Amino acid sequence: MLRILITGQPGVGKTTLIKRLADHARSMGIGIYGFITTEVREGGSRIGFKIIDINSGKETWLAHVSLFAGGPTVGRYNVNLKAMDEVGIPAIRAASPGSLLVIDEIGKMELIHNGFLRTLEETVNNVHILGTIYMAYRTNRPVASFVSKYGFRVITLTKVNRDQVLNDLTRELDKEIKPVQ
C-alpha cells in the first residue's frame, strides 16, 4: 500500500500538490476519498480554513478568527470541533478498500478532535494514503507513533523540489495503484 505524507513550510504548495495528485488519480479511474483543507482570505488576510470532502464537495469551517469562540484555539484561530464529525471523519470512513485516501492535513487543528487519529488507524490498512502533515509532527507522540507504525514515507516539500516531487509521485501513483472496479 502507498503511504506517503508531505510536510513543509506553510505556503510551499503542499495542498496544491495533493490536489494535483488526486486529480491525476481520479483521471486514471482510481477511487478518491478524504478531504482537503483550504485557507479562506478576506481583503487579503487569512480569516480561517475550510475542510472539504474531496468526493462529495461537502464543506464547513474548520477554523475561523472570530467564529467558534470559547472552544479550542490554534494560534489566532478558533477551531470548529464539529467540522471533523461533519466532514473529515465521514470522508475518511467513506474510503473503499484499495482506493486512495487523501488527508490534507494531519495537523494541529484536525488533531484536536480525539477521534481523528483513531479513525485513520481504523482505515490505514485497507487504503492507499497520500496526505500532508505539519512539520512538528515528531513532537506529538501519538502522531509520530502512527507515522512510524504504519511505515509512512515523509517527504519534505520545498519551492525548489516541488515540481520534481509532483513528477515522482505521479509516476509512483501510476505504478502502485490500480483502478478500483
Side-chain angles (χ1 to χ4, degrees):
M1 289 286 184
L2 191 71
R3 292 195 175 114
I4 297 172
L5 296 173
I6 308 297
T7 193
Q9 295 292 332
V12 78
K14 296 179 297 292
T15 298
T16 300
L17 174 76
I18 291 291
K19 284 167 135 176
R20 286 182 176 164
L21 291 166
D23 288 345
H24 175 74
R26 186 176 284 118
S27 76
M28 295 170 48
I30 295 168
I32 307 289
Y33 299 90
F35 63 84
I36 297 286
T37 306
T38 60
E39 66 177 35
V40 179
R41 293 186 170 269
E42 203 171 82
S45 103
R46 188 166 63 196
I47 60 164
F49 299 88
K50 286 201 168 178
I51 183 170
I52 305 162
D53 181 315
I54 204 166
N55 211 4
S56 73
K58 182 177 181 180
E59 66 178 63
T60 193
W61 285 104
L62 176 61
H64 195 277
V65 291
S66 59
L67 302 174
F68 319 111
T73 60
V74 172
R76 65 190 194 106
Y77 302 100
N78 303 308
V79 178
N80 175 17
L81 283 176
K82 291 181 184 171
M84 291 309 291
D85 290 324
E86 294 171 359
V87 175
I89 288 174
I92 294 168
R93 288 196 172 133
S96 57
S99 65
L100 178 63
L101 180 60
V102 174
I103 302 296
D104 178 43
E105 78 176 332
I106 300 172
K108 291 179 182 179
M109 292 178 190
E110 295 82 0
L111 289 163
I112 287 174
H113 189 287
N114 57 17
F116 172 59
L117 198 57
R118 184 175 59 247
T119 301
L120 281 177
E121 286 186 340
E122 292 166 359
T123 311
V124 70
N125 288 320
N126 299 318
V127 295
H128 300 278
I129 297 181
L130 180 61
T132 60
I133 190 165
Y134 71 121
M135 289 192 73
Y137 76 91
R138 288 178 192 89
T139 63
N140 180 316
R141 187 168 286 137
V143 175
S145 174
F146 171 76
V147 169
S148 172
K149 177 179 178 180
Y150 294 103
F152 280 90
R153 182 165 34 117
V154 180
I155 299 169
T156 302
L157 194 67
T158 66
K159 289 183 178 180
V160 172
N161 74 357
R162 63 186 175 191
D163 291 337
Q164 186 62 50
V165 170
L166 174 62
N167 292 336
D168 292 347
L169 292 180
T170 299
R171 279 194 300 277
E172 196 164 339
L173 280 176
D174 291 345
K175 191 173 76 177
E176 295 294 325
I177 307 178
K178 302 300 176 222
V180 178
Q181 303 303 325

